[in-house]
Amino acid sequence: MKKLHLIGNLKMNLSKQELEPYFKELATVAQNTEQTVGVCVPFVYLPLAQTYLQNSKVLYGAQNMSNQISGAFTGEISASMLQDFGTQLVILGHSERRQLFGETDKMVNQKVLKALEENLTPILCVGETLQQRAEGKTKELVTQQLQAGLQGVNAANLQKMYIAYEPIWAIGTGKSASATDAEQVIDVIKQWLQQNKGATTNVLYGGSLKPSNAQELLRVPNIDGGLIGGASLNATQFADIINTQL
Ligand code: PGA
């Protein structure tokens, strides 16, 4: 059976009170599976994640970080600050960061390099809008995002990170990409990585992944796992995805 990597993205959801039982349940789920389980939490809950998850099999992470090392950057959080709380994962270049907070490919690339320097595992997100898909520009856009986001990343470093293919039209809409659509773009991603970096890495699918479509998507041979937003907010639902029978 292939090993899957299933990572939750809580976004700006759940309270401290809700997270305590959530982390406990997730730790138990991870204990009873061969799959890699992770969860990316709001910054302020990283100490709580550390308390509950550091001795578990659950990897925990942040959803963003600064492209700067330190200094006068009000409101920002650096890679080394994440390290101070035992953080292992960091989502970078999520489409919500790009679209709502103006993150550019260049900034995303700087973040990827900083994260790797601090031994964090970046999850670099790429994906097209509905319009770009309709215009037949998906392949071009995704390879552009890889080209820019992975500048200066070599084969060895690439293998220490994840790429998440998240079509923007599928995020939070309840309508995931079809297995065929996801497979086609992930093929493009893996071929590009092999040709340009001399290696590939684990590529996750993200966008309305939920228990009802998990089997169809996760059994696609080149999909190595999922980045799960809405359906990861409930530990039982997330567990159903983690325990998908392929
Ligand atoms: P979703 O979010 O599962 O709620 O569509 C996925 C993501 O944005 O990572």
Side-chain angles (χ1 to χ4, degrees), residues 1-241:
M1 201 177 82
K2 75 170 171 175
K3 183 167 168 84
L4 293 172
H5 305 257
L6 300 155
I7 299 171
N9 173 10
L10 300 184
K11 308 195 179 181
M12 197 170 74
N13 292 298
L14 301 185
S15 64
K16 178 169 185 267
Q17 214 177 7
E18 288 166 321
L19 276 172
E20 286 168 346
Y22 177 94
F23 287 149
K24 283 186 195 162
E25 194 174 336
L26 203 56
T28 307
V29 173
Q31 193 56 41
N32 295 314
T33 178
E34 293 303 309
Q35 318 294 25
T36 299
V37 178
V39 63
C40 293
V41 306
F43 289 129
V44 290
Y45 296 134
L46 285 168
L48 195 70
Q50 184 176 34
T51 302
Y52 283 93
L53 301 177
Q54 66 184 347
N55 296 319
S56 80
K57 284 172 68 191
V58 181
L59 306 174
Y60 59 94
Q63 303 165 11
N64 180 30
M65 56 167 239
S66 174
N67 58 348
Q68 303 293 329
I69 296 173
S70 68
F73 302 103
T74 302
E76 290 290 284
I77 306 278
S78 71
S80 67
M81 291 172 185
L82 296 185
Q83 265 304 359
D84 275 347
F85 292 92
T87 307
Q88 293 132 316
L89 306 168
V90 60
I91 297 174
L92 296 174
H94 190 282
S95 58
E96 286 153 17
R97 301 288 327 162
R98 294 178 191 258
Q99 290 195 317
L100 305 173
F101 301 97
E103 283 193 16
T104 62
D105 277 325
K106 182 155 190 244
M107 288 158 74
V108 173
N109 176 240
Q110 290 166 338
K111 293 179 184 204
V112 168
L113 296 175
K114 295 260 174 331
L116 287 166
E117 273 168 33
E118 285 290 335
N119 290 318
L120 294 163
T121 300
I123 304 168
L124 171 63
C125 300
V126 297
E128 80 286 2
T129 62
L130 196 54
Q131 191 180 344
Q132 288 160 335
R133 172 162 283 265
E135 288 169 359
K137 291 191 181 145
T138 302
K139 183 175 169 181
E140 184 189 323
L141 191 271
V142 165
T143 52
Q144 236 171 37
Q145 286 176 326
L146 291 173
Q147 172 89 48
L150 293 173
Q151 252 185 62
V153 174
N154 62 25
N157 279 331
L158 181 67
Q159 286 165 323
K160 295 182 196 153
M161 60 185 285
Y162 292 104
I163 306 292
Y165 168 56
E166 298 206 307
I168 294 170
W169 46 273
I171 295 177
T173 59
K175 189 184 175 302
S176 74
S178 68
T180 313
D181 283 346
E183 181 177 26
Q184 278 173 359
V185 181
I186 291 178
D187 259 343
V188 166
I189 292 173
K190 289 196 171 175
Q191 275 175 31
W192 186 93
L193 294 174
Q194 195 62 54
Q195 280 162 13
N196 292 274
K197 299 288 175 184
T200 65
T201 193
N202 288 312
V203 180
L204 312 177
Y205 167 78
S208 296
L209 185 57
K210 50 193 168 188
S212 59
N213 59 21
Q215 189 189 52
E216 184 200 347
L217 286 157
L218 297 175
R219 67 159 48 145
V220 173
N222 71 2
I223 297 183
D224 302 303
L227 184 58
I228 304 138
S232 74
L233 297 182
N234 175 299
T236 308
Q237 216 179 354
F238 191 13
D240 284 347
I241 298 176

